[in-house]
Amino acid sequence: MVDVHLRGIVKRFGKTIAVDGIDLDVMDGEFIVLLGPSGCGKTTTLRVIAGLEKPDAGRVLFGDKDVTYLPPKDRNVSMVFQSYAIWPHMKVYDNIAFPLKIRKVPRDEIDRRVKWAAELLQISELLDRYPHQLSGGQRQRVAVARAIVVEPDVLLMDEPLSNLDALLRVKMRSELKKLQRKIKVTTIYVTHDQVEAMTMGDRIAVMNKGRIQQVGTPEEIYLKPRNLFVAGFVGTPQMNFFKARIKVSENNIVLVSDDFEIRLGSRYVDELLGYDGKEVIVGIRPEHIYLEKLVPPTVTEKEVIEGKVDFVEALGSDTIIHVSTGKNILVVKVSGSHHYRIGSNIRIVLDLNHIHLFDKDTEYSILKR
Ligand code: ATP
């Protein structure tokens, strides 16, 4: 096991800058997720760590050792891909044993390790089958068993669950996480699925356009997004955003939007002093807006807003209500079933302890939390 450090990694493909100066520290035994939209450079970053791509600038360190120019075979890393990439002509046993055979590990040691990996992945009874006799989920388990059988220092996984159906994906998520905890291998996991990232990662590195936007625990990423991109990328339904002008008067801050005003009181006077008269982007998550009749007592700082029901999504356990406040639509998520006629009047309550403000130019979060 080892800690991994990326220092100023840049990777270009012709004119495309796939990775644009990435710094990242992954602790020994940590499960870190690279999360971001398609094309943001996640896979390229992973391939640089694996040694499958040479960076144009920057260094990759495993512990104190600079491995930037070491070939993959000398790094003791294993990689699991979205396509399982297991050999169709080999039985499961031989697929898992394969990386050990190339390393010329003695036969009885191979046998011991294959059985260990198969047991961990709960595929011991499948060792005698060929891949075409397996389900997608079982094939993916074989690929993971083959990756861990070499006892790698670093395990790299690139969207390993995206070929599986939704139910199996949820099951494999928790199994992979438990497996990683058990064998404590430093793991870097790539996905564009925010739920996967939130449920599996000890920490998440959110990426966009070749750059890391924020690194933090799932809770930090969710509650304290550093910028507009992170705020909008993590969370379903997405955070509500609307523009508002800031009015600072003595000991009172008011956010004046097209449709309503929000009185923030004096709490953020220091942070917002320089913003008097400026327009900012306000963010609030759907679960931090309540129906007026159902505001929990914990919500102490609030603003009531009137609107009309524009659309309702009944999900069974939750109801998503789209509320038109005039020019803006606010999406509200409440638990349980609620019935509303489209066009009917509704009063909703914003929890002001969960308001986010973003600078319109830099898109950085303004409030320090
Ligand atoms: P996805 O989730 O779709 O796999 P990603 O975040 O993993 O996306 P990368 O695969 O790292 O993104 O790609 C980053 C950028 O680099 C993209 O614009 C992609 O088209 C480009 N790119 C990646 N590999 C190559 C290559 N071998 N040659 C040319 N361009 C490449």
Side-chain angles (χ1 to χ4, degrees):
M1 256 71 71
V2 73
D3 42 303
V4 176
H5 308 279
L6 303 184
R7 297 277 176 264
I9 298 292
V10 175
K11 179 69 191 173
R12 296 185 201 90
F13 296 105
K15 285 192 177 145
T16 306
I17 304 178
V19 178
D20 192 10
I22 280 194
D23 293 298
L24 183 65
D25 295 296
V26 186
M27 292 178 281
D28 186 358
E30 190 177 23
F31 191 124
I32 200 155
V33 178
L34 304 183
L35 170 71
S38 184
C40 72
K42 308 179 293 292
T43 297
T44 307
T45 306
L46 207 65
R47 288 174 60 83
V48 167
I49 300 169
L52 298 167
E53 300 283 359
K54 299 263 175 292
D56 294 300
R59 293 184 306 143
V60 181
L61 302 168
F62 284 4
D64 299 335
K65 189 172 167 194
D66 190 331
V67 300
T68 316
Y69 298 105
L70 274 189
K73 69 176 176 52
D74 297 334
R75 297 189 184 201
N76 201 23
V77 293
S78 280
M79 196 151 166
V80 180
F81 302 91
Q82 175 179 350
S83 60
Y84 322 120
I86 52 178
W87 308 107
H89 60 283
M90 283 184 198
K91 287 188 171 172
V92 167
Y93 184 101
D94 297 313
N95 259 291
I96 300 174
F98 187 73
L100 298 173
K101 281 188 184 152
I102 334 181
R103 291 172 194 214
K104 305 212 166 17
V105 173
R107 190 188 290 246
D108 50 348
E109 174 66 7
I110 292 183
D111 193 57
R112 189 189 67 74
R113 289 224 229 155
V114 169
K115 286 180 177 154
W116 166 78
E119 195 165 312
L120 274 175
L121 271 302
Q122 298 162 34
I123 48 172
S124 301
E125 72 287 10
L126 306 177
L127 288 173
D128 215 23
R129 291 203 200 166
Y130 284 97
H132 72 89
Q133 298 169 310
L134 303 176
S135 70
Q138 290 167 335
R139 274 179 230 168
Q140 192 53 291
R141 282 165 200 266
V142 175
V144 175
R146 188 183 53 187
I148 63 165
V149 80
V150 296
E151 298 181 20
D153 285 332
V154 184
L155 178 60
L156 305 172
M157 295 202 247
D158 192 355
E159 311 242 3
L161 305 184
S162 39
N163 278 355
L164 307 179
D165 67 49
L167 261 181
L168 192 54
R169 214 156 54 210
V170 174
K171 187 160 175 272
M172 281 296 284
R173 250 188 234 155
S174 60
E175 285 188 15
L176 275 186
K177 179 74 192 173
K178 279 190 224 155
L179 173 76
Q180 191 269 345
R181 285 231 172 97
K182 204 180 267 177
I183 62 175
K184 299 187 176 73
V185 57
T186 308
T187 301
I188 306 172
Y189 185 104
V190 159
T191 183
H192 60 263
D193 180 334
Q194 44 142 331
V195 180
E196 216 164 275
M198 297 293 280
T199 51
M200 295 179 85
D202 295 325
R203 286 189 305 152
I204 301 173
V206 183
M207 290 182 64
N208 191 32
K209 297 184 179 159
R211 295 193 177 167
I212 290 184
Q213 306 290 316
Q214 183 172 358
V215 184
T217 62
E219 197 180 342
E220 283 165 352
I221 298 282
Y222 181 79
L223 290 176
K224 301 176 188 172
R226 231 178 109 207
N227 61 26
L228 201 59
F229 177 81
V230 177
F233 194 75
V234 173
T236 34
Q238 199 191 30
M239 185 184 281
N240 293 289
F241 296 113
F242 54 90
K243 289 184 198 145
R245 199 165 289 285
I246 293 192
K247 219 167 73 185
V248 181
S249 57
E250 204 178 323
N251 279 340
N252 195 18
I253 304 265
V254 183
L255 304 175
V256 184
S257 84
D258 285 333
D259 305 335
F260 47 81
E261 295 192 353
I262 299 174
R263 287 168 294 268
L264 286 182
S266 60
R267 284 178 302 164
Y268 303 120
V269 168
D270 290 346
E271 282 143 289
L272 294 174
L273 213 50
Y275 282 90
D276 189 19
K278 287 195 183 150
E279 201 172 57
V280 296
I281 298 168
V282 183
I284 184 161
R285 295 200 185 278
E287 53 274 39
H288 295 141
I289 309 182
Y290 298 89
L291 299 174
E292 193 186 27
K293 54 184 184 204
L294 290 176
V295 182
T298 47
V299 178
T300 49
E301 309 289 330
K302 51 197 167 191
E303 185 70 63
V304 181
I305 289 172
E306 295 183 357
K308 282 192 189 308
V309 175
D310 187 64
F311 185 61
V312 178
E313 300 172 61
L315 303 179
S317 59
D318 299 316
T319 307
I320 315 286
I321 309 165
H322 300 234
V323 177
S324 166
T325 55
K327 287 193 180 164
N328 295 294
I329 299 269
L330 293 181
V331 175
V332 182
K333 181 176 170 188
V334 285
S335 59
S337 284
H338 300 269
H339 300 282
Y340 280 97
R341 247 183 322 107
I342 306 294
S344 59
N345 294 325
I346 185 167
R347 283 165 68 87
I348 53 176
V349 174
L350 310 193
D351 179 351
L352 301 186
N353 281 320
H354 287 284
I355 286 266
H356 300 264
L357 301 180
F358 301 95
D359 186 292
K360 237 178 97 187
D361 300 323
T362 65
E363 298 193 348
Y364 274 105
S365 174
I366 299 168
L367 303 181
K368 314 267 178 296
R369 287 210 158 89

